[in-house]
Amino acid sequence: MIEIRNLHATVDGKEILKGIDLTIGPGEVHAIMGPNGSGKSTLSYVLAGRDGYEVTKGSVSFYGEDLLAMEPEERAAAGLFLAFQYPVEIPGVANMTFLKSALNAMRKHRGEGDLDAMQFLKLVREKTRSLNMTDEMLKRAVNVGFSGGEKKRNETLQMAVLEPKFAILDETDSGLDIDALKIVADGVNALRSPERSMLVITHYQRLLNYIVPDHVHVLAHGRIQRSGGKELALELEQKGYKDFGVEEAA
Amino acid sequence: MAATHETVEQVRALAEQKYKYGFTTDIDAETAPKGLNEDIIRFISAKKEEPEWLLQWRLRAFEAWKTMQEPHWPKLDYGPIDYQDAYYYAAPKLKNKPKSLDEVDPELLRTYEKLGIPLKEQAILAGVEGTEGQAPAIAVDAVFDSVSVATTYKAKLEEMGIIFCAISEAVHKCPELVQKYLGSVVPYTDNFFATLNSAAFTDGSFVYIPKGVRCPMELSTYFRINQANTGQFERTLIIADEGSYVSYLEGCTAPQRDENQLHAAVVELVALDNATIKYSTVQNWYPGDANGVGGIYNFVTKRGACRGVNSKISWTQVETGSAITWKYPSCILQGDNSVGEFYSVAITNNRQQADTGTKMIHIGKNTRSTIVSKGISAGRAQQTYRGLVKILPRAEGARNHTQCDSLLIGDQCGAHTVPYIESRNRSARVEHEATTAKISEDQLFYCRQRGLSEEDAVSLIVNGFCKEVLKELPMEFAVEAQKLVGISLEGSVG
Ligand SMILES: Nc1ncnc2c1ncn2[C@@H]1O[C@H](COP(=O)(O)OP(=O)(O)OP(=O)(O)O)[C@@H](O)[C@H]1O
Ligand SMILES: [Mg+2]
């Protein structure tokens, strides 16, 4: 259970989140939609503990623990995963090496031993195949020279390997072609379980046809303005965000 | 930005770097009186029972040295060095020169064990008499202060005609080779530090690979400075005869001491027709503490001569130690179609300073050189890449490619690139690329979000940055070097 209470956060002294309240139960999938610049990515960074995103008020409880008191890597080890809107390139570090370091770091936090090379290879091969990715992508440097869609797929692969308790997907659908969208959505759905919750940030109702959310929220001006079921996404698609005091783009 | 500022703060609050090799060995040593003069040189020469020509060579070097000035062109900042306040000879007291490993003082053996010369080597060291038949991977020459204390696998190599021993021993064993090649690549008048070395060198390794022989194992020298106030002046000479191949590794450490210690080595490589020498260094001398107190002053002259056609010399270095590093492993590409390579990772943290690079001198036709330099600076360290690519008129069709990348951690450190290019042949192609980057907050956060600690993240990112160079290291050293990269940057963030 993730409980966000009256969360306020500033970036460079500017208040971006102005009192977010959100409770996500085990196994639930919540979608957040909202105009550009409304604070969606900011919320995901604050939850993941990024430097420079300062919480000025409020609290976040993560399965009973004070999430905000933890270092980013501790949050990751506790089971929080963020699929980045803009995945980062790490030149010279093979995707495979990165995945292995990440998985073993998590296992260490949890007091488990390293997976041996064979076990790891088996695990990764399985996940790669289910996401229709090639082994060649595992040998390449993390996200370097990946197309926009490949980067998003790579985020999904990491999630599948790390098996988090709570995954935040920040526009994982952006940049995916129609087939890729389906593959990634299938990958995400395969991870749905009664213990695993998700927060799916998207601009497109289309994704929610594949990953059907339990709740949809509208974030605007740093606050959740409205919450509803999956039909809210359809309504937004038709009406846009003008009801929330946001001008339609010219 | 707030985040950047925080990182800077963290860098400022640098934890003292943990140097694992900072212990001293309690062993009886014989030292010559402090300072350098003719008598000391005669003393060293007599200790080694050297022939007259070598003594005279030393003395000529000493005469030359007295007229020379320490170079001041490097971008290095250090106080004056009192050359008369150091010991030029220190040797562990040995009753008899040990003939095999089991005669070596156990205290010395324990030292090398503690240094963790890669475990595989240890197994080999220990297994010299026992594990016969098992394919050995590395033969080791261990140099402790001024003397070589043990060389493994000598006999086995001798069966193939390979000579691998202390240079002081080679002087007796194969005097004509030593006399022919010593100083033939780095003359005794070459530069202040090389000249000092020529006058005062105490020991080092000698390698000769006969015609057509491919050396079946890695040869390796492990240098250890133990004695306080002692300079180490080792001299290495490697000769690869026609059509031969050798891969050679060099490792070094020193105890943690508050005063600076001088290390002025000379390495000469000679590759004849169709011969290849691969020379790898993992340099981890004590770098001094976080405030720049103590550490080794490392002034080294390394040069290889590709004398024969199609010969090749490849330098790979991972430089993480020393308070000061002054070092330009170079290649003289004399033989037609000869190849020179320089792959370098230099890491400076805290107050370390390094002025390092290479020289590629193209003399023969169709000579090719590749330079890949990766410099990483953290803390308040300063680092300079200084490289010279010189194409002489006869070097028709010569080619060089230089890639020079710097990575900065924090904003108190500096990276400088000084490439010199002199081309006197129009058909030559010389390419130079340089980049400077910082470890980005984005990369660090991305790694930490995936569960890596900040230090592991830095180590991973830096290892990625150095990958092109690290992959050139022999397998046995690559893993060690990767770890070292992480350790050297401990405390650079977080
Ligand atoms: N470092 C920063 N300095 C100043 N403003 C910032 C900074 N980072 C984010 N912001 C601002 O915070 C606001 C929220 O940004 P955020 O990235 O959370 O929006 P978003 O809802 O994810 O938008 P999008 O749909 O375009 O991804 C924006 O107005 C953005 O310009
Ligand atoms: Mg966003």
Side-chain angles (χ1 to χ4, degrees), chain A residues 41 85 170-171:
Chain A
S41 293
Q85 181 175 359
D170 192 353
E171 295 199 28

Side-chain angles (χ1 to χ4, degrees), chain B residues 189-208:
Chain B
T189 49
D190 193 80
N191 69 72
F192 183 83
F193 296 109
T195 301
L196 175 60
N197 174 290
S198 301
F201 78 90
T202 42
D203 221 332
S205 300
F206 175 86
V207 176
Y208 171 75

Side-chain angles (χ1 to χ4, degrees), chain A residues 11-12 14 16 34-43 53 85-86 170-171 203, chain B residues 1:
Chain A
V11 181
D12 265 348
K14 183 177 158 204
I16 310 287
N36 293 137
S38 56
K40 303 182 296 298
S41 293
T42 302
L43 175 62
Y53 289 72
Q85 181 175 359
Y86 304 109
D170 192 353
E171 295 199 28
H203 285 297
Chain B
M1 263 173 57

Side-chain angles (χ1 to χ4, degrees), chain A residues 50 71 73 82 155 158, chain B residues 442-443 446 448-450:
Chain A
R50 183 166 197 155
E71 293 294 332
E73 58 270 33
L82 169 61
E155 294 291 288
Q158 293 177 20
Chain B
D442 280 355
Q443 287 174 328
Y446 190 65
R448 295 178 75 189
Q449 199 324 283
R450 298 302 185 247

Side-chain angles (χ1 to χ4, degrees), chain A residues 45 48 50-51 71-73 76 80-82 84 88-93 98 101-102 105-106 109 143 155 158, chain B residues 1-3 6-7 10 440-443 445-454 456 460-461 463-465 467:
Chain A
Y45 287 149
R50 183 166 197 155
D51 278 347
E71 293 294 332
E73 58 270 33
L80 183 144
F81 179 91
L82 169 61
F84 284 61
V88 178
E89 299 184 359
I90 311 177
V93 177
F98 184 67
S101 311
M106 302 269 198
H109 277 290
N143 294 323
E155 294 291 288
Q158 293 177 20
Chain B
M1 263 173 57
E6 203 167 299
T7 307
Q10 288 164 344
S440 73
E441 210 83 41
D442 280 355
Q443 287 174 328
F445 176 60
Y446 190 65
C447 292
R448 295 178 75 189
Q449 199 324 283
R450 298 302 185 247
L452 297 177
S453 68
E454 203 157 20
D456 288 347
L460 188 80
I461 294 164
N463 268 301
F465 174 77
K467 190 183 180 184

Side-chain angles (χ1 to χ4, degrees), chain A residues 19 87 148 157:
Chain A
L157 171 66

Side-chain angles (χ1 to χ4, degrees), chain A residues 129-140:
Chain A
R129 227 162 279 143
S130 73
L131 286 163
N132 233 3
M133 286 170 67
T134 57
D135 283 1
E136 191 253 319
M137 274 175 83
L138 292 172
K139 290 183 197 141
R140 283 169 59 182

